[in-house]
Amino acid sequence: MNTANLKSFFPFFKHNPDLTYLDNAATTQICQPALTAINEYYCRSHSNVHRSSHTTAKANTNQFEQVRQKLAHWLNADSSKEIIWTKGATEAANLLAYSLSNQFSSGDEVITSITEHHANFVTWQQMCIKLNLKLKIVRLTDDLKIDLTHLESLITPKTKVLALAHVANATGVKQPIEEAISIAREINPETLCVIDGSQAVCHLNLDVKQIDADFYFFSGHKMFAGTGIGVLYGKQIRLEQLNPFHFGGEMVNQVSVEATSFNQLPYKFEAGTPNIAAVFALGATVDFLSEIQTDTVRQRESQLIDYLLHQLQQVPNLSILAKHDLVGAVSFNISNWHPSDVSEILSQMNIALRVGKHCAMPLFNEINQDGSVRVSISLYNDKQDIDKLIAALLDLENFL
């Protein structure tokens, strides 16, 4: 499929034909199959799952679990029991930190990096403060990658968690997570490896067996499925060791006045009525992605990032935060321009992107920047979008 055909699957562009959308790291547009699935559920089959025994409820429950199996297959997980539905990546990170808390002792260590999204940084930071754990920060190399040599020096027998992003939210840098996990396992096999895949999910082919993290999570709204749904993958043996995060209906087995026993995996982590429509939308999106995310589309995304990097060289006084191993995004600054001013003017030129510290304040404090302009692409973007951006950047002074 060419780019025009791909855009036709996203109604947003039909309703916003003059907008150049380059803010995909914040959220991707929702695809038509996901919208259709949401509409079908609410208009034709709205009822709960795992509860009632009438025909519609049974059909929904079957479809609900079929989507779970589909995600397990898509991620190459061993079992659908390893797929937990969450509201998004942020809830997944909090679920892990809370559920693991009873396995920590004062003085235990958590390792993360300053390039993490706040969801994967603040969550562990606050857990360390609450439980008197030691938070260790792995340094970055000059190209804003995890410094594996420094990581190796940080891991000790007290290291309980290594929490890293697969692709950095603020810079688009693909991190060497497989190597990091291998180092952690070699030094301390008990280290739990937690990977935030939010920025990787719609750009890379994910294989959780190959990655070999204990836990891997992401949000549906970063992969064309809409908001309110996320996926937490966990190795079954690890998930079975965790306590529930929320309490209520569905996640229980037996309840008495004296005590409660909890449901089996994956249901013990899914208290209450889930976002059924969002799960169905995610399932439809996975079908859509399985069809269109070919090697050709992946290659074209990579070429578009290379084209963006090359074209940005035309803009005077522009400096790029990171230039190597970029996936889906490029961050830059223009001297004598505040990022917010750049964004406001570009917005008036019908170009949508994001500026600021991108929920990664420790990173920008470290590199002494007020923030950055972040351009993030997806499979429906093309060179014309980049050309419009470059023309607008070159016209900033004239626009004022």
Side-chain angles (χ1 to χ4, degrees):
M1 298 181 183
N2 61 35
T3 308
N5 285 338
L6 289 174
K7 280 191 174 179
S8 70
F9 285 97
F10 297 85
F12 174 87
F13 296 109
K14 183 186 299 183
H15 295 286
N16 299 274
D18 297 326
L19 180 66
T20 300
Y21 188 78
L22 296 168
D23 193 22
N24 295 284
T27 191
T28 54
Q29 295 305 320
I30 186 169
C31 63
Q32 184 60 59
L35 291 168
T36 299
I38 293 170
N39 187 64
E40 287 286 318
Y41 169 73
Y42 281 120
C43 291
R44 296 175 180 267
S45 61
H46 179 48
S47 62
N48 218 323
V49 294
H50 297 138
R51 289 159 175 80
S52 303
S53 58
H54 56 82
T55 303
T56 304
K58 285 182 178 179
N60 280 341
T61 297
N62 289 338
Q63 183 177 348
F64 189 82
E65 292 307 318
Q66 285 170 5
V67 175
R68 197 190 306 272
Q69 292 172 2
K70 185 179 299 182
L71 262 294
H73 177 75
W74 191 60
L75 295 170
N76 197 28
D78 282 328
S79 167
S80 61
K81 292 180 179 180
E82 298 181 325
I83 305 299
I84 311 297
W85 303 128
T86 67
K87 290 187 294 186
T90 299
E91 185 180 54
N94 280 269
L95 184 160
L96 288 173
Y98 176 87
S99 298
L100 285 167
S101 61
N102 71 321
Q103 301 182 27
F104 299 146
S105 301
S106 178
D108 285 343
E109 301 165 351
V110 174
I111 299 175
T112 188
S113 81
I114 58 170
T115 195
E116 303 305 309
H117 189 284
H118 292 161
N120 203 34
F121 185 90
V122 177
T123 301
W124 294 108
Q125 177 200 61
Q126 294 303 305
M127 187 58 62
C128 287
I129 293 171
K130 179 180 179 180
L131 299 178
N132 194 30
L133 311 178
K134 185 175 183 179
L135 184 66
K136 290 184 171 181
I137 307 299
V138 60
R139 289 196 299 259
L140 303 179
T141 61
D142 291 340
D143 54 5
L144 302 185
K145 282 189 174 185
I146 300 299
D147 187 329
L148 295 175
T149 301
H150 185 231
L151 172 64
E152 188 172 358
S153 71
L154 293 179
I155 300 170
T156 74
K158 284 185 169 291
T159 302
K160 297 297 184 182
V161 173
L162 172 64
L164 300 173
H166 197 162
V167 173
N169 153 72
T171 62
V173 174
K174 182 178 181 291
Q175 299 294 344
I177 59 165
E178 290 91 345
E179 295 91 333
I181 292 170
S182 178
I183 289 170
R185 294 266 166 73
E186 184 175 347
I187 299 174
N188 181 358
E190 296 304 310
T191 300
L192 295 174
C193 299
V194 178
I195 303 299
D196 176 359
S198 299
Q199 296 300 329
V201 65
C202 75
H203 298 291
L204 303 176
N205 295 323
L206 300 182
D207 184 333
V208 292
K209 289 181 183 175
Q210 179 179 330
I211 295 169
D212 198 31
D214 296 285
F215 304 100
Y216 192 102
F217 58 82
F218 53 87
S219 295
H221 77 93
K222 302 287 179 75
M223 54 172 288
F224 320 113
T227 58
I229 186 66
V231 175
L232 167 61
Y233 157 81
K235 291 181 178 179
Q236 183 171 342
I237 189 173
R238 297 302 192 185
L239 289 172
E240 288 173 344
Q241 297 168 349
L242 302 187
N243 289 333
F245 177 45
H246 291 142
F247 302 103
E250 178 62 21
M251 54 78 61
V252 296
N253 182 27
Q254 294 290 331
V255 180
S256 68
V257 174
E258 293 80 15
T260 295
S261 61
F262 302 122
N263 208 340
Q264 62 183 343
L265 289 176
Y267 312 112
K268 74 173 181 177
F269 296 109
E270 297 178 0
T273 296
N275 192 340
I276 302 166
V279 170
F280 291 173
L282 186 63
T285 301
V286 168
D287 288 338
F288 171 67
L289 292 178
S290 297
E291 179 181 350
I292 63 128
Q293 282 193 320
T294 62
D295 290 341
T296 301
V297 172
R298 298 288 194 208
Q299 183 180 20
R300 190 167 56 76
E301 281 188 8
S302 178
Q303 291 171 345
L304 195 58
I305 287 291
D306 291 341
Y307 182 72
L308 172 59
L309 288 170
H310 181 266
Q311 296 302 96
L312 285 172
Q313 295 176 25
Q314 300 180 40
V315 183
N317 303 314
L318 185 146
S319 59
I320 298 172
L321 268 63
K323 298 180 180 180
H324 304 291
D325 292 317
L326 299 182
V327 174
V330 176
S331 272
F332 62 85
N333 280 307
I334 303 174
S335 60
N336 301 321
W337 281 88
H338 193 282
S340 296
D341 295 331
V342 175
S343 174
E344 178 59 32
I345 294 174
L346 292 180
S347 178
Q348 295 181 47
M349 297 180 179
N350 284 326
I351 296 174
L353 41 68
R354 184 176 173 185
V355 302
K357 296 186 177 180
H358 312 293
C359 293
M361 290 184 184
L363 170 65
F364 287 94
N365 293 339
E366 176 74 14
I367 63 177
N368 197 27
Q369 297 275 358
D370 290 332
S372 72
V373 180
R374 184 184 66 189
V375 178
S376 51
I377 65 157
S378 194
L379 53 81
Y380 39 60
N381 291 117
D382 54 27
K383 287 186 176 181
Q384 186 178 3
D385 294 329
I386 303 304
D387 291 341
K388 288 180 179 178
L389 168 68
I390 300 302
L393 291 173
L394 291 171
D395 201 37
L396 284 176
E397 297 286 353
N398 291 334
F399 188 89
L400 283 182

